[in-house]
């Protein structure tokens, strides 16, 4: 019952956040969080660096996913050292992969891809887990299937929440509703996203500012966050191999299908590289529990997992991860700003 209440509480928080995001984030107001003056121009104005809500929501999704991953691994009996030995190399590989894969596929230097990073992470995760277990005394409680179940659950929730960043920036956008299949037009009549602001990606890349488009980011957020929360409950019940099978199937198939309703650039092929990656992860993920067994024998303890998070060093580490992701992904390279400052005479 404690596990169910915990998951239901998370579901209520995620649902409220998504409802607010769909109402507000397509607006022009919600693209830029701040602008930092960098250098003074000859005319007296300052050249500014834009800090985006894309970075804020991406960093929040990363930190939330990391917190869930730590909670689940510690709940399943993995030691602190085992968690660090598995998670830190994984994050170190996935963070640059999000940019390198996007640059390879889309030929753009200032873009990121969660699909590419998740593909790299899933491929290397079992072997990083084996290596960490081999190097640490007693294996540190690491089990490949359990680690994959925790990773895939955290990834599903993290990517679901990360789609709020896409809504803010106007990227990963859907097709115009009048170009969608008839069933999609009927389903989304009056519910499409309308993005405002000429600096949003949908505006400068496709010219669809103020035009209703299929809200694929919101639907993806609902599907993936919902899948992740179901998997979290199953994980806390000890059903680790079923978590792997459910999560890898839903996330892979949804990524493949959802791109048929997207209209942003995904490469030259009719079926994108990201779609092929998503399909490839399904048999790979399904095979892992068959190769490495059903998972940890002892049922996870939610109390142990929550206690592991509620420590100063862990909270500081998660805050550091959030800040690093914010600085890495929140500095806009595709927009610039000009700042002017003046004194408010009435307040003197």
């Amino acid at each position: 019952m404690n596990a169910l209440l915990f998951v239901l509480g998370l579901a209520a928080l995620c649902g409220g956040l998504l409802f607010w995001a769909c109402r507000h984030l397509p607006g022009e107001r919600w693209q830029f969080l701040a602008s930092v003056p960098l250098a003074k121009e000859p005319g007296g104005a300052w050249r500014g660096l834009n800090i985006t809500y894309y970075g804020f929501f991406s960093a929040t999704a990363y930190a939330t996913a990391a917190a869930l991953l730590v909670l689940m691994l510690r709940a399943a009996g993995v030691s602190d050292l085992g968690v660090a030995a598995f998670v830190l190399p994984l994050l170190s590989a996935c963070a640059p992969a999000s940019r390198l894969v996007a640059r390879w596929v889309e030929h753009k230097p200032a873009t990121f891809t969660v699909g590419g990073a998740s593909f790299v992470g899933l491929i290397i995760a079992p072997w990083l887990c084996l290596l960490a277990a081999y190097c640490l005394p007693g294996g540190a409680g690491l089990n490949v299937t359990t680690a994959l179940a925790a990773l895939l659950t955290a990834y599903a929730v993290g990517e679901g929440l990360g789609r709020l960043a896409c809504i803010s920036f106007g990227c990963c956008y859907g097709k115009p509703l009048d170009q969608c299949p008839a069933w999609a037009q009927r389903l989304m009549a009056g519910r499409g996203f309308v993005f405002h602001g000429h600096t949003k990606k949908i505006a400068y890349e496709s010219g669809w500012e103020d035009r209703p488009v299929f809200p694929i980011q919101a639907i993806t957020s609902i599907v993936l966050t919902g899948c992740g929360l179901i998997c979290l409950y199953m994980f806390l019940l000890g059903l680790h191999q079923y978590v792997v099978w459910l999560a890898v199937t839903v996330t892979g198939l949804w990524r493949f299908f959802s791109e048929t309703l997207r209209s942003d650039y995904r490469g030259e092929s009719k079926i994108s590289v990201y779609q092929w990656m998503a399909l490839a992860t399904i048999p790979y993920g399904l095979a892992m529990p068959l190769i490495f067994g059903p998972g940890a024998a002892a049922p996870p303890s939610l109390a142990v997992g929550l206690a592991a998070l509620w420590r100063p060093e862990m909270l500081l580490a998660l805050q550091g991860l959030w800040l690093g992701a914010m600085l890495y992904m929140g500095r806009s390279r595709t927009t610039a700003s000009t700042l002017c400052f003046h004194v408010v005479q009435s307040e003197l």
Side-chain angles (χ1 to χ4, degrees):
M1 180 58 70
N2 288 337
L4 180 59
L5 291 176
F6 176 70
V7 174
L8 289 176
L10 288 180
L13 288 174
C14 293
L17 178 61
L18 179 59
F19 178 78
W20 173 87
C22 290
R23 289 175 59 91
H24 296 283
L25 291 185
E28 187 173 9
R29 160 71 179 80
W30 293 97
Q31 183 174 357
F32 300 116
L33 174 65
S35 191
V36 181
L38 294 180
K40 198 167 187 178
E41 301 289 353
W46 288 77
R47 175 169 51 87
L49 170 67
N50 294 330
I51 307 298
T52 63
Y53 278 104
Y54 180 93
F56 174 86
F57 287 112
S58 295
T60 302
Y62 269 102
T64 301
L68 283 177
L69 181 57
V70 171
L71 181 149
M72 288 184 284
L73 290 176
R74 291 292 287 119
V78 180
S79 69
D80 288 336
L81 187 58
V83 171
F86 175 61
V87 173
L88 293 180
L90 191 65
L91 290 176
S92 300
C94 290
S98 66
R99 173 167 289 178
L100 294 175
V101 174
R103 181 176 298 182
W104 169 56
V105 175
E106 303 177 41
H107 309 293
K108 296 179 180 179
T111 189
F112 300 92
T113 169
V114 175
S118 63
F119 174 77
V120 171
L122 179 59
I123 295 300
I124 66 175
W127 317 112
L128 285 178
C129 182
L130 284 177
L131 179 62
Y134 176 78
C135 294
L136 297 176
L142 285 165
N143 174 281
V144 171
T145 299
T146 296
L148 276 182
L151 177 64
L152 285 165
T153 299
Y155 159 69
V157 173
E159 182 169 3
L161 295 179
R163 290 299 163 181
L164 304 187
C166 301
I167 300 175
S168 170
F169 182 40
C171 64
C172 306
Y173 48 87
K175 295 180 178 179
L177 283 180
D178 55 15
Q179 296 180 13
C180 289
W183 66 266
Q185 295 187 41
R186 290 194 299 270
L187 182 64
M188 292 298 159
R191 302 183 182 90
F193 276 159
V194 180
F195 291 93
H196 305 287
H198 68 280
T199 55
K200 298 217 180 223
K201 188 175 182 181
I202 189 173
Y204 65 73
E205 186 175 73
S206 296
W208 292 339
E209 182 184 2
D210 301 326
R211 184 174 180 180
V213 296
F214 192 87
I216 190 62
Q217 305 100 320
I219 297 176
T220 296
S221 185
I222 293 170
V223 170
L224 295 186
T225 305
C227 173
L229 292 174
I230 292 171
C231 288
L232 174 60
Y233 182 61
M234 293 171 60
F235 183 93
L236 294 174
L237 295 180
L239 306 174
H240 298 167
Q241 63 178 338
Y242 300 106
V243 170
V244 173
W245 290 338
L246 175 63
V248 77
T249 301
V250 171
T251 57
L253 289 179
W254 180 255
R255 176 167 291 280
F256 183 87
F257 170 72
S258 64
E259 290 208 9
T260 64
L261 296 170
R262 287 175 59 169
S263 198
D264 54 325
Y265 181 75
R266 312 296 288 165
E268 300 295 341
S269 303
K270 184 174 182 181
I271 297 179
S272 74
V273 174
Y274 299 123
Q275 287 176 292
W276 286 118
M277 287 180 179
L279 289 181
T281 61
I282 297 175
Y284 184 83
L286 293 176
M288 291 298 105
L290 301 178
I291 296 172
F292 295 107
S301 170
L302 177 60
V304 171
L306 290 173
L309 284 181
W310 198 249
R311 293 180 301 175
E313 61 271 23
M314 184 57 65
L315 294 175
L316 288 172
L318 291 172
Q319 290 172 18
L321 174 63
W322 185 92
L323 182 60
M326 177 68 177
L327 293 175
Y328 184 64
M329 306 186 75
R331 293 174 298 144
S332 178
R333 297 165 179 82
T334 57
T335 65
S337 57
T338 301
L339 308 178
C340 295
F341 300 96
H342 63 275
V343 176
V344 181
Q345 295 293 334
S346 61
E347 297 296 325
L348 296 180

